[in-house]
Amino acid sequence: MVGKFVTIEGCEGVGKSTQIKLLQEYMQTTSQEAIFTREPGGTEISERIRTIILSETSIIHPLVEAYLFASARADHMLNTVLPALELGKNVFCDRFIDSSLSYQGIARDLGVDVVLEINKHALCGRTPDCTIFLDMRPENSWRRQKGKSVSDDRMEHESDAFHNKVYNGFIQIRNKYPDRYISIVPQENKQETHILIINALRKKGYIK
Ligand code: TYD
């Protein structure tokens, strides 16, 4: 049986990495096999592309940025995601196509259809079975509330207006693909958020 492909999306600083770590620990302690990966990244080539895209010194036209994310995605699909799914493993991916649609398509104004067109072959005919969206506005993010500093990547240094556009972009994409979206509102207590995620995935029958 082919594995399930679950993507995890959301704005910066909303606790996505923490939740992915908790999910990974849960899968390990309950002896459920799964692959955890990320975009851009997840293969040697894609990690190298990631360095180019996120480098603070890179000056990249939005169109080129979209193609770079798509080429990193193609390599990731061909060498990591599809082989694992075919072996029957579930794949959990930190960001995927919806980040391209929100960041490049909407926030960078390339248009959702253009970004879908760019990604047509990169997806290798596979879309996520489900997308967990951590539904939190960037201005309310834990990072903001706790006054944490941002890392040195190009995207994180974008303006508040840009990050608001990304959030609105995700809402637009969720409305476009309502069947595969699971929205989770991050709770103050990270364990509570973790339980919401676990319960949603159990309800789908993707995990035990
Ligand atoms: P990362 O450090 O992984 O961000 P985060 O911890 O918030 O997930 O950096 C990935 C950045 O790349 C993030 O700002 C989102 C952006 N991105 C796009 O703009 N388009 C894409 O297709 C993907 C996958 C990511």
Side-chain angles (χ1 to χ4, degrees), residues 69-82:
F69 279 114
S71 39
R73 181 161 301 129
D75 195 63
H76 186 220
M77 288 308 277
L78 292 169
N79 294 305
T80 301
V81 177
L82 295 178

Side-chain angles (χ1 to χ4, degrees), residues 117-164:
E117 185 70 28
I118 289 170
N119 278 274
K120 198 169 153 200
H121 298 287
L123 291 174
C124 301
R126 190 65 157 89
T127 46
D129 294 302
C130 111
T131 298
I132 293 173
F133 173 56
L134 294 181
D135 186 354
M136 190 177 214
R137 292 189 159 276
E139 67 260 33
N140 299 333
S141 71
W142 304 128
R143 184 182 293 157
R144 287 282 176 87
Q145 289 187 35
K146 294 178 180 160
K148 287 191 184 158
S149 59
V150 296
S151 63
D152 281 344
D153 84 45
R154 218 165 47 83
M155 298 295 187
E156 301 217 3
H157 286 294
E158 288 291 345
S159 65
D160 290 353
F162 176 85
H163 289 291
N164 284 332

